[in-house]
Amino acid sequence: MAKTATRGRRKAPARGKSKARSSGGGLLPWAVIGIAAIGGIVAHDHWKSIQPMLARQSPPITRDTAEPRPVVRKDAPPKQVALAAPTPKVAVPKPLPLATIPTPMIQPIKAVPSPAPAAVSETGTVAFGYCGQGAHINCVGDGGVFWYKGEKIVIADMASPVVDQARCDGERRVAFAAKSRLLALLNAGPFTMNAAGKADPSGAPRVVARNGRSFGAQLINEGLARKPGAAGNAWCA
């Protein structure tokens, strides 16, 4: 009985201590809350000055720490990636600057005179007579005019008197002599006729020759004709 009472007495102080401890433990959270509230008020009032300090001290969060790296297994086979064939590059020619582009020189076209048509040469081989009242085919009209195959030919490099237009007996005699001489020259053999101008109603001008010697030059040398444009009163002196 005595031990039981002693144990009961010893337990009494333990209860007092537990009360003291429980009372002290209850005040600590309130003290922490008060200190935190005071710190929050002070931080709010001095937030502008505290913010730069926090920014300096806070380390940046890197990608390595934020995102975990995938774990690569050593025994895993490497992935096969299909490589696309490279696209061949087509060389695009660069445009040449205007200064390097050769410009062809445009030369003025010179007027080239057209060559004169070659003289048409014709060979006569027919027999001639004096022209009469009928059709004039192959005949002699006067000392400087004759018809060849129906075309009137005028000897271009001479001028002789005409029988019907003679102004004196001397000019008439020369006209008859020139007409007779021309008939003889035409019937002496083949001759050539070269055009000496355009034909007109008065006849087709021709240079008549044989072996390169003009009939007109022969009649002039024989005194039966004159050069074109010379005075015509020489036979009536």
Side-chain angles (χ1 to χ4, degrees):
M1 294 291 292
K3 290 181 180 180
T4 304
T6 303
R7 290 178 181 174
R9 291 177 183 176
R10 288 180 180 176
K11 288 180 181 180
R15 290 178 181 176
K17 290 181 181 180
S18 61
K19 290 181 181 180
R21 289 177 182 173
S22 61
S23 61
L27 293 176
L28 182 59
W30 290 103
V32 173
I33 293 172
I35 293 171
I38 295 171
I41 294 171
V42 173
H44 183 271
D45 294 339
H46 299 82
W47 176 250
K48 292 182 179 181
S49 60
I50 296 173
Q51 187 176 5
M53 297 175 62
L54 295 176
R56 293 175 186 174
Q57 295 181 359
S58 59
I61 300 174
T62 60
R63 186 180 180 87
D64 296 338
T65 58
E67 297 180 1
R69 294 183 180 180
V71 179
V72 180
R73 295 175 57 186
K74 294 182 179 180
D75 56 348
K79 295 183 179 180
Q80 296 180 357
V81 179
L83 298 177
T87 304
K89 295 183 179 180
V90 180
V92 180
K94 296 182 179 179
L96 296 176
L98 296 178
T100 60
I101 298 176
T103 303
M105 297 294 294
I106 300 175
Q107 298 180 356
I109 301 174
K110 296 181 179 180
V112 179
S114 58
V120 179
S121 180
E122 185 179 359
T123 302
T125 58
V126 298
F128 288 86
Y130 291 112
C131 295
Q133 297 297 328
H136 298 359
I137 305 299
N138 298 307
C139 61
V140 177
D142 57 47
V145 177
F146 66 94
W147 273 259
Y148 176 71
K149 295 183 179 180
E151 183 182 10
K152 185 178 181 180
I153 305 299
V154 178
I155 299 177
D157 56 346
M158 59 161 278
S160 66
V162 179
V163 175
D164 297 339
Q165 299 176 2
R167 290 167 293 183
C168 60
D169 292 339
E171 185 174 346
R172 188 174 291 106
R173 286 193 297 269
V174 173
F176 275 114
K179 182 178 181 179
S180 176
R181 180 61 175 150
L182 178 59
L183 179 62
L185 291 173
L186 291 173
N187 288 328
F191 57 89
T192 59
M193 294 182 296
N194 294 320
K198 293 182 179 179
D200 54 24
S202 62
R206 297 286 189 271
V207 176
V208 185
R210 179 181 291 113
N211 298 327
R213 188 177 181 184
S214 170
F215 289 1
Q218 294 183 47
L219 292 173
I220 292 172
N221 292 336
E222 295 174 4
L224 302 177
R226 58 181 173 79
K227 292 181 179 180
N233 297 326
W235 297 290
C236 293

